[in-house]
Amino acid sequence: MAEIGVIIVAGGAGRRMGGALPKQFMMLEQQPILARSINRIHAALPKAEIVVVLPAEHVELWRNMAARFDVARHKIAIGGKERFHSVKSGLAALSEGVRTIAVHDAVRPLASKKLIIRLVLATEKHDAVIPVVAPADSYRTVEGDDSKIIDRSTLRMVQTPQLFRAEALRKAYEQEFSESFTDDASVVEAAGYKVALEEGERENFKITTPLDITLARAIITAEGEM
């Protein structure tokens, strides 16, 4: 039985990307973005149990796509209205015996093997571990016609995969849904657990716009991967 479970959330509509397909199904250098995300996780954690959470209306589409590409073995779970409900569905699909659970965005296909393994190892010391990167830009808060600079040294941009001890994540998801839950770390934090930060990777960005696709292609080319 796998000791590590992975939930890949693939429920986005991709409105900012444009086009007919949600972005997780769009092609990135001859593979669907979702396939790349699954395979990156599998390459780092070959014995992990992987669950992909999809909207019901996209399940058949993905099954047809997955049959045409070399995609690591995975289960499919049906998503819910909010990310919270989709992750909860993914948790129910995972085997009870997993000790560590990772939750990953389907549209972050460039997380490195090194990063994923480093996050897994960090859960030996922490209940929750998330990758973050310091912002490169300056930020301001806006109130009406006024704005104020923010000290960016106090800010971090949050990425996935987010790693949790299974017991902590399952207990956290027994809570009722709240609008304040912006990611899985916020759910766990609300349940009383401390969240540890690990250095993430700038290449591990979320593909949201056509420019992101262009950047991802350049990174894949530089890595010598197709």
Side-chain angles (χ1 to χ4, degrees):
M1 181 179 293
E3 290 196 356
I4 299 176
V6 182
I7 299 169
I8 298 180
V9 185
R15 294 182 183 89
R16 280 175 285 180
M17 182 68 74
L21 286 177
K23 52 186 178 288
Q24 59 268 28
F25 304 123
M26 294 181 69
M27 299 298 292
L28 176 57
E29 294 300 280
Q30 303 171 20
Q31 287 185 49
I33 289 172
L34 176 53
R36 284 192 171 274
S37 295
I38 293 170
N39 290 342
R40 284 266 176 152
I41 291 289
H42 176 72
L45 307 171
K47 295 183 179 179
E49 178 183 350
I50 300 174
V51 174
V52 175
V53 186
L54 293 160
E57 63 268 27
H58 293 156
V59 170
E60 198 58 34
L61 167 65
W62 173 243
R63 283 188 172 139
N64 289 337
M65 292 187 80
R68 293 163 40 211
F69 296 93
D70 184 15
V71 185
R73 185 178 178 182
H74 60 279
K75 299 179 184 177
I76 292 175
I78 305 302
K81 181 180 178 182
E82 305 286 347
R83 180 190 175 90
F84 176 90
H85 304 106
S86 293
V87 173
K88 198 166 184 176
S89 176
L91 281 171
L94 282 175
S95 301
E96 288 293 329
V98 296
R99 296 173 55 196
T100 303
I101 299 174
V103 185
H104 191 42
D105 296 326
V107 288
R108 290 187 191 268
L110 300 176
S112 75
K113 181 177 179 179
K114 182 178 179 180
L115 172 64
I116 295 166
I117 292 173
R118 182 156 47 84
L119 292 168
V120 170
L121 292 175
T123 60
E124 294 177 3
K125 299 179 181 178
H126 305 284
D127 290 315
V129 182
I130 64 173
V132 298
V133 293
D137 299 319
S138 294
Y139 289 86
R140 300 183 72 88
T141 57
V142 178
E143 295 181 9
D145 294 331
D146 296 324
S147 69
K148 294 180 181 179
I149 191 73
I150 298 175
D151 180 4
R152 69 182 179 191
S153 69
T154 66
L155 299 178
R156 295 295 182 272
M157 298 184 292
V158 177
Q159 302 180 329
T160 70
Q162 298 184 357
L163 274 288
F164 308 91
R165 288 181 178 166
E167 181 181 356
L169 189 64
R170 291 190 188 279
K171 185 174 180 180
Y173 270 88
E174 291 174 1
Q175 300 175 96
E176 293 296 321
F177 170 71
S178 168
E179 294 288 348
S180 66
F181 295 157
T182 56
D183 63 356
D184 306 288
S186 61
V187 180
V188 169
E189 198 167 46
Y193 295 97
K194 186 176 180 180
V195 176
L197 307 184
E198 278 283 323
E199 188 67 28
E201 297 172 334
R202 295 206 177 274
E203 295 85 357
N204 182 28
F205 56 86
K206 191 174 186 178
I207 292 182
T208 305
T209 68
L211 176 59
D212 295 332
I213 288 279
T214 301
L215 292 174
R217 284 176 178 153
I219 290 168
I220 290 169
T221 299
E223 290 177 345
E225 181 189 343
M226 291 300 290

